[in-house]
Structures are given as C-alpha cells and as structure tokens.
Amino acid sequence: MVLLRPYVFVSNDWDTPDNDDAMLERQERLHAEHPELLLTHFVGPYTFTDPATPKARADELSTWVRNLRDTRGDEIGLHIHPYCSFVESAGVDCRTSPSFAKPYSDPSGYTVILSSYDKKEMLSLLERADALFEENGLGKPTSFRAG
C-alpha cells in the first residue's frame, strides 16, 4: 500500500500597503499549530511606496517576512495591485479604471485591472518591484499573483 502525503499550499496576499498586526499574528499562529506548512507571502511592493506607511513600519514588515523566509522556509512572492503610489514610482502613469470592483473608477488604483497596463508598462512595474524587493532584502521573487 502506498500512502500519499497531501500537500497544502497556503498563500497570503498583501492587499494593502500595511498588513495589520492581527494578520501577521494569524500567520504566526498557523505556523505554530502546523510547523510543517510552508507559506507563500505575496508581498505588495506598494508597502514601500505608500506615503501613509511610515518607513519604520515598512521596515518592520520586511523584517517580519524575511524572518519567516529564513527560519521557516517560507517563500516571498510578488503581488501587485496597481496602487498609484507604486505605479507612479515606476515612472508609469496611474490608471483609475477599469476597476474590477467599482462601477466608475478607483482613484487609489487598488482595484484597477492589472491587464489594463500594456507590456512595456508592466515590465516597468516588474522592474520597479524587483528593485524594491532588493532594497528591502526580500530577494528576487519567483512567483507572482496579480491583484
């Protein structure tokens, strides 16, 4: 008899520039209760460009996710919602529509359909995300999830 070992993949999407402490604690609790699990943290590069997220908090978040990568073997992937602060930091004009959730437009860019950016613009976004990940010690992401 061959026993199959199930694989469970858990991902955490950084949908906002500042993941609150309760969200971080839930992931830590998941690790504590299931130490064999590996998590993929889809980090949003807008954590490092949003003016409302203090640098000290962005540093705290990057330290937290690096620690899980280094001590638990978790993966750090890239997650992009095209928040204007991030898009504009890449030298790309921010779009506010079309939105996947709002009837007209989204001035923050959060719900804008990522495919509304053309290939050249998307390359600029990916290059900017790579630079932000490098600057914050997160390494080069090898997985991606669109917002």
Side-chain angles (χ1 to χ4, degrees), residues 4 7 14 19 22 36 55 57 63 72 85 90 98 103 107 118 120 127-128 134-135 141:
L4 299 177
Y7 287 90
W14 290 30
N19 287 311
E36 68 283 2
K55 179 164 177 16
R57 179 61 177 172
T63 297
R72 297 287 194 158
S85 69
D118 67 27
K120 182 179 176 187
E127 288 172 346
R128 179 66 175 136
E134 183 65 31
E135 290 169 20

PDB file of all heavy atoms in Angstrom, residues 4 7 14 19 22 36 55 57 63 72 85 90 98 103 107 118 120 127-128 134-135 141:
ATOM      1  N   LEU A   4      -0.198   8.326   0.239  1.00  0.00           N
ATOM      2  CA  LEU A   4       0.081   9.612  -0.382  1.00  0.00           C
ATOM      3  C   LEU A   4       0.115  10.688   0.683  1.00  0.00           C
ATOM      4  O   LEU A   4      -0.727  10.722   1.578  1.00  0.00           O
ATOM      5  CB  LEU A   4      -0.978   9.949  -1.423  1.00  0.00           C
ATOM      6  CG  LEU A   4      -1.097   8.984  -2.597  1.00  0.00           C
ATOM      7  CD1 LEU A   4      -2.238   9.420  -3.512  1.00  0.00           C
ATOM      8  CD2 LEU A   4       0.203   8.922  -3.372  1.00  0.00           C
ATOM      9  N   TYR A   7      -0.294  17.659   0.016  1.00  0.00           N
ATOM     10  CA  TYR A   7       0.404  18.937   0.008  1.00  0.00           C
ATOM     11  C   TYR A   7      -0.634  20.033   0.158  1.00  0.00           C
ATOM     12  O   TYR A   7      -1.645  20.053  -0.535  1.00  0.00           O
ATOM     13  CB  TYR A   7       1.184  19.132  -1.300  1.00  0.00           C
ATOM     14  CG  TYR A   7       2.413  18.276  -1.383  1.00  0.00           C
ATOM     15  CD1 TYR A   7       2.365  17.007  -1.939  1.00  0.00           C
ATOM     16  CD2 TYR A   7       3.624  18.739  -0.881  1.00  0.00           C
ATOM     17  CE1 TYR A   7       3.488  16.209  -1.997  1.00  0.00           C
ATOM     18  CE2 TYR A   7       4.757  17.939  -0.944  1.00  0.00           C
ATOM     19  CZ  TYR A   7       4.685  16.686  -1.505  1.00  0.00           C
ATOM     20  OH  TYR A   7       5.809  15.903  -1.562  1.00  0.00           O
ATOM     21  N   TRP A  14      -0.660  40.393   0.206  1.00  0.00           N
ATOM     22  CA  TRP A  14      -0.557  41.708   0.824  1.00  0.00           C
ATOM     23  C   TRP A  14      -1.392  42.667  -0.005  1.00  0.00           C
ATOM     24  O   TRP A  14      -0.895  43.322  -0.913  1.00  0.00           O
ATOM     25  CB  TRP A  14       0.897  42.153   0.901  1.00  0.00           C
ATOM     26  CG  TRP A  14       1.726  41.386   1.889  1.00  0.00           C
ATOM     27  CD1 TRP A  14       1.556  40.090   2.264  1.00  0.00           C
ATOM     28  CD2 TRP A  14       2.850  41.868   2.599  1.00  0.00           C
ATOM     29  NE1 TRP A  14       2.521  39.733   3.176  1.00  0.00           N
ATOM     30  CE2 TRP A  14       3.334  40.813   3.399  1.00  0.00           C
ATOM     31  CE3 TRP A  14       3.517  43.078   2.646  1.00  0.00           C
ATOM     32  CZ2 TRP A  14       4.431  40.932   4.224  1.00  0.00           C
ATOM     33  CZ3 TRP A  14       4.615  43.200   3.473  1.00  0.00           C
ATOM     34  CH2 TRP A  14       5.067  42.145   4.257  1.00  0.00           C
ATOM     35  N   ASN A  19       0.012  45.604   6.271  1.00  0.00           N
ATOM     36  CA  ASN A  19      -0.693  44.461   6.847  1.00  0.00           C
ATOM     37  C   ASN A  19      -0.724  44.641   8.354  1.00  0.00           C
ATOM     38  O   ASN A  19       0.319  44.815   8.984  1.00  0.00           O
ATOM     39  CB  ASN A  19       0.031  43.152   6.498  1.00  0.00           C
ATOM     40  CG  ASN A  19      -0.160  42.786   5.056  1.00  0.00           C
ATOM     41  OD1 ASN A  19      -1.263  42.792   4.562  1.00  0.00           O
ATOM     42  ND2 ASN A  19       0.925  42.465   4.371  1.00  0.00           N
ATOM     43  N   ALA A  22      -2.738  41.930  13.473  1.00  0.00           N
ATOM     44  CA  ALA A  22      -3.624  40.776  13.633  1.00  0.00           C
ATOM     45  C   ALA A  22      -3.424  39.785  12.481  1.00  0.00           C
ATOM     46  O   ALA A  22      -3.444  38.568  12.698  1.00  0.00           O
ATOM     47  CB  ALA A  22      -5.080  41.216  13.713  1.00  0.00           C
ATOM     48  N   GLU A  36       4.892  22.142   9.895  1.00  0.00           N
ATOM     49  CA  GLU A  36       5.326  21.551   8.630  1.00  0.00           C
ATOM     50  C   GLU A  36       4.884  22.363   7.411  1.00  0.00           C
ATOM     51  O   GLU A  36       5.367  22.150   6.293  1.00  0.00           O
ATOM     52  CB  GLU A  36       4.814  20.115   8.496  1.00  0.00           C
ATOM     53  CG  GLU A  36       3.306  19.975   8.336  1.00  0.00           C
ATOM     54  CD  GLU A  36       2.455  20.134   9.594  1.00  0.00           C
ATOM     55  OE1 GLU A  36       3.012  20.410  10.693  1.00  0.00           O
ATOM     56  OE2 GLU A  36       1.231  20.008   9.500  1.00  0.00           O
ATOM     57  N   LYS A  55       8.199  54.573   7.031  1.00  0.00           N
ATOM     58  CA  LYS A  55       9.338  53.727   6.700  1.00  0.00           C
ATOM     59  C   LYS A  55       9.615  52.721   7.812  1.00  0.00           C
ATOM     60  O   LYS A  55       9.926  51.568   7.538  1.00  0.00           O
ATOM     61  CB  LYS A  55      10.580  54.561   6.421  1.00  0.00           C
ATOM     62  CG  LYS A  55      11.783  53.671   6.089  1.00  0.00           C
ATOM     63  CD  LYS A  55      12.896  54.392   5.446  1.00  0.00           C
ATOM     64  CE  LYS A  55      14.117  53.569   5.165  1.00  0.00           C
ATOM     65  NZ  LYS A  55      14.068  52.139   5.192  1.00  0.00           N
ATOM     66  N   ARG A  57       7.518  51.251   9.716  1.00  0.00           N
ATOM     67  CA  ARG A  57       6.549  50.141   9.602  1.00  0.00           C
ATOM     68  C   ARG A  57       6.888  49.259   8.411  1.00  0.00           C
ATOM     69  O   ARG A  57       6.827  48.033   8.505  1.00  0.00           O
ATOM     70  CB  ARG A  57       5.122  50.691   9.479  1.00  0.00           C
ATOM     71  CG  ARG A  57       4.069  49.611   9.326  1.00  0.00           C
ATOM     72  CD  ARG A  57       4.015  48.670  10.508  1.00  0.00           C
ATOM     73  NE  ARG A  57       2.940  47.704  10.323  1.00  0.00           N
ATOM     74  CZ  ARG A  57       2.734  46.662  11.089  1.00  0.00           C
ATOM     75  NH1 ARG A  57       3.521  46.435  12.135  1.00  0.00           N
ATOM     76  NH2 ARG A  57       1.746  45.831  10.846  1.00  0.00           N
ATOM     77  N   THR A  63      11.221  42.964   7.679  1.00  0.00           N
ATOM     78  CA  THR A  63      11.967  42.136   8.637  1.00  0.00           C
ATOM     79  C   THR A  63      11.144  40.916   9.020  1.00  0.00           C
ATOM     80  O   THR A  63      11.665  39.795   9.090  1.00  0.00           O
ATOM     81  CB  THR A  63      12.332  42.956   9.890  1.00  0.00           C
ATOM     82  OG1 THR A  63      13.201  44.026   9.493  1.00  0.00           O
ATOM     83  CG2 THR A  63      13.023  42.101  10.939  1.00  0.00           C
ATOM     84  N   ARG A  72      11.616  29.624   8.637  1.00  0.00           N
ATOM     85  CA  ARG A  72      10.566  28.643   8.357  1.00  0.00           C
ATOM     86  C   ARG A  72      10.605  28.084   6.941  1.00  0.00           C
ATOM     87  O   ARG A  72       9.881  27.150   6.629  1.00  0.00           O
ATOM     88  CB  ARG A  72       9.183  29.267   8.583  1.00  0.00           C
ATOM     89  CG  ARG A  72       8.908  29.698   9.998  1.00  0.00           C
ATOM     90  CD  ARG A  72       8.690  28.502  10.871  1.00  0.00           C
ATOM     91  NE  ARG A  72       8.118  28.899  12.143  1.00  0.00           N
ATOM     92  CZ  ARG A  72       7.447  28.091  12.909  1.00  0.00           C
ATOM     93  NH1 ARG A  72       7.223  26.852  12.544  1.00  0.00           N
ATOM     94  NH2 ARG A  72       6.982  28.507  14.063  1.00  0.00           N
ATOM     95  N   SER A  85       0.662  54.992  -5.922  1.00  0.00           N
ATOM     96  CA  SER A  85       1.976  55.306  -5.352  1.00  0.00           C
ATOM     97  C   SER A  85       3.059  54.395  -5.915  1.00  0.00           C
ATOM     98  O   SER A  85       4.175  54.835  -6.186  1.00  0.00           O
ATOM     99  CB  SER A  85       1.952  55.201  -3.823  1.00  0.00           C
ATOM    100  OG  SER A  85       1.792  53.851  -3.403  1.00  0.00           O
ATOM    101  N   ALA A  90       7.260  53.802 -10.526  1.00  0.00           N
ATOM    102  CA  ALA A  90       7.878  53.063 -11.634  1.00  0.00           C
ATOM    103  C   ALA A  90       7.938  53.905 -12.899  1.00  0.00           C
ATOM    104  O   ALA A  90       8.356  53.416 -13.953  1.00  0.00           O
ATOM    105  CB  ALA A  90       7.097  51.770 -11.895  1.00  0.00           C
ATOM    106  N   PRO A  98     -10.071  50.557 -15.966  1.00  0.00           N
ATOM    107  CA  PRO A  98     -11.283  49.928 -15.449  1.00  0.00           C
ATOM    108  C   PRO A  98     -11.022  49.243 -14.103  1.00  0.00           C
ATOM    109  O   PRO A  98      -9.921  48.764 -13.845  1.00  0.00           O
ATOM    110  CB  PRO A  98     -11.625  48.900 -16.523  1.00  0.00           C
ATOM    111  CG  PRO A  98     -10.309  48.527 -17.119  1.00  0.00           C
ATOM    112  CD  PRO A  98      -9.474  49.789 -17.070  1.00  0.00           C
ATOM    113  N   PRO A 103     -17.906  50.745  -9.961  1.00  0.00           N
ATOM    114  CA  PRO A 103     -18.616  50.998 -11.215  1.00  0.00           C
ATOM    115  C   PRO A 103     -17.959  52.046 -12.115  1.00  0.00           C
ATOM    116  O   PRO A 103     -18.133  52.017 -13.323  1.00  0.00           O
ATOM    117  CB  PRO A 103     -20.003  51.455 -10.765  1.00  0.00           C
ATOM    118  CG  PRO A 103     -19.839  51.903  -9.364  1.00  0.00           C
ATOM    119  CD  PRO A 103     -18.694  51.125  -8.796  1.00  0.00           C
ATOM    120  N   PRO A 107      -9.655  55.939  -7.539  1.00  0.00           N
ATOM    121  CA  PRO A 107      -8.558  56.897  -7.515  1.00  0.00           C
ATOM    122  C   PRO A 107      -7.277  56.376  -6.863  1.00  0.00           C
ATOM    123  O   PRO A 107      -6.202  56.899  -7.120  1.00  0.00           O
ATOM    124  CB  PRO A 107      -9.124  58.096  -6.748  1.00  0.00           C
ATOM    125  CG  PRO A 107     -10.323  57.598  -6.038  1.00  0.00           C
ATOM    126  CD  PRO A 107     -10.824  56.403  -6.791  1.00  0.00           C
ATOM    127  N   ASP A 118      -0.062  48.074 -20.454  1.00  0.00           N
ATOM    128  CA  ASP A 118       0.496  47.353 -21.604  1.00  0.00           C
ATOM    129  C   ASP A 118       1.814  46.658 -21.227  1.00  0.00           C
ATOM    130  O   ASP A 118       2.290  46.785 -20.096  1.00  0.00           O
ATOM    131  CB  ASP A 118       0.647  48.261 -22.833  1.00  0.00           C
ATOM    132  CG  ASP A 118       1.691  49.360 -22.673  1.00  0.00           C
ATOM    133  OD1 ASP A 118       2.664  49.196 -21.890  1.00  0.00           O
ATOM    134  OD2 ASP A 118       1.555  50.401 -23.350  1.00  0.00           O
ATOM    135  N   LYS A 120       4.967  47.092 -22.052  1.00  0.00           N
ATOM    136  CA  LYS A 120       6.076  47.960 -21.649  1.00  0.00           C
ATOM    137  C   LYS A 120       5.861  48.494 -20.237  1.00  0.00           C
ATOM    138  O   LYS A 120       6.783  48.520 -19.420  1.00  0.00           O
ATOM    139  CB  LYS A 120       6.219  49.110 -22.652  1.00  0.00           C
ATOM    140  CG  LYS A 120       7.363  50.042 -22.348  1.00  0.00           C
ATOM    141  CD  LYS A 120       7.463  51.150 -23.383  1.00  0.00           C
ATOM    142  CE  LYS A 120       8.562  52.126 -22.983  1.00  0.00           C
ATOM    143  NZ  LYS A 120       8.603  53.294 -23.842  1.00  0.00           N
ATOM    144  N   GLU A 127      10.075  45.598 -12.981  1.00  0.00           N
ATOM    145  CA  GLU A 127      11.445  46.036 -12.681  1.00  0.00           C
ATOM    146  C   GLU A 127      11.476  46.869 -11.407  1.00  0.00           C
ATOM    147  O   GLU A 127      12.391  46.737 -10.589  1.00  0.00           O
ATOM    148  CB  GLU A 127      12.017  46.824 -13.859  1.00  0.00           C
ATOM    149  CG  GLU A 127      12.346  45.937 -15.045  1.00  0.00           C
ATOM    150  CD  GLU A 127      12.726  46.712 -16.300  1.00  0.00           C
ATOM    151  OE1 GLU A 127      12.492  47.951 -16.369  1.00  0.00           O
ATOM    152  OE2 GLU A 127      13.265  46.071 -17.235  1.00  0.00           O
ATOM    153  N   ARG A 128      10.487  47.724 -11.217  1.00  0.00           N
ATOM    154  CA  ARG A 128      10.420  48.531 -10.002  1.00  0.00           C
ATOM    155  C   ARG A 128      10.190  47.644  -8.781  1.00  0.00           C
ATOM    156  O   ARG A 128      10.811  47.842  -7.733  1.00  0.00           O
ATOM    157  CB  ARG A 128       9.305  49.576 -10.119  1.00  0.00           C
ATOM    158  CG  ARG A 128       9.148  50.444  -8.889  1.00  0.00           C
ATOM    159  CD  ARG A 128      10.360  51.322  -8.653  1.00  0.00           C
ATOM    160  NE  ARG A 128      10.098  52.218  -7.529  1.00  0.00           N
ATOM    161  CZ  ARG A 128      10.966  52.462  -6.568  1.00  0.00           C
ATOM    162  NH1 ARG A 128      12.184  51.937  -6.604  1.00  0.00           N
ATOM    163  NH2 ARG A 128      10.643  53.270  -5.578  1.00  0.00           N
ATOM    164  N   GLU A 134      14.765  44.098  -3.697  1.00  0.00           N
ATOM    165  CA  GLU A 134      16.213  44.073  -3.446  1.00  0.00           C
ATOM    166  C   GLU A 134      16.589  45.067  -2.353  1.00  0.00           C
ATOM    167  O   GLU A 134      17.327  44.733  -1.428  1.00  0.00           O
ATOM    168  CB  GLU A 134      16.969  44.392  -4.740  1.00  0.00           C
ATOM    169  CG  GLU A 134      18.467  44.327  -4.615  1.00  0.00           C
ATOM    170  CD  GLU A 134      19.002  42.932  -4.320  1.00  0.00           C
ATOM    171  OE1 GLU A 134      18.398  41.947  -4.751  1.00  0.00           O
ATOM    172  OE2 GLU A 134      20.050  42.835  -3.635  1.00  0.00           O
ATOM    173  N   GLU A 135      16.068  46.294  -2.450  1.00  0.00           N
ATOM    174  CA  GLU A 135      16.368  47.337  -1.461  1.00  0.00           C
ATOM    175  C   GLU A 135      15.944  46.927  -0.059  1.00  0.00           C
ATOM    176  O   GLU A 135      16.520  47.386   0.927  1.00  0.00           O
ATOM    177  CB  GLU A 135      15.643  48.638  -1.825  1.00  0.00           C
ATOM    178  CG  GLU A 135      16.175  49.346  -3.041  1.00  0.00           C
ATOM    179  CD  GLU A 135      15.248  50.473  -3.505  1.00  0.00           C
ATOM    180  OE1 GLU A 135      14.415  50.957  -2.699  1.00  0.00           O
ATOM    181  OE2 GLU A 135      15.350  50.855  -4.683  1.00  0.00           O
ATOM    182  N   PRO A 141      11.693  37.743  -6.406  1.00  0.00           N
ATOM    183  CA  PRO A 141      10.539  36.845  -6.347  1.00  0.00           C
ATOM    184  C   PRO A 141      10.511  35.925  -7.565  1.00  0.00           C
ATOM    185  O   PRO A 141      10.871  36.324  -8.668  1.00  0.00           O
ATOM    186  CB  PRO A 141       9.341  37.805  -6.365  1.00  0.00           C
ATOM    187  CG  PRO A 141       9.849  39.049  -7.005  1.00  0.00           C
ATOM    188  CD  PRO A 141      11.311  39.130  -6.677  1.00  0.00           C
TER     189      PRO A 141
END
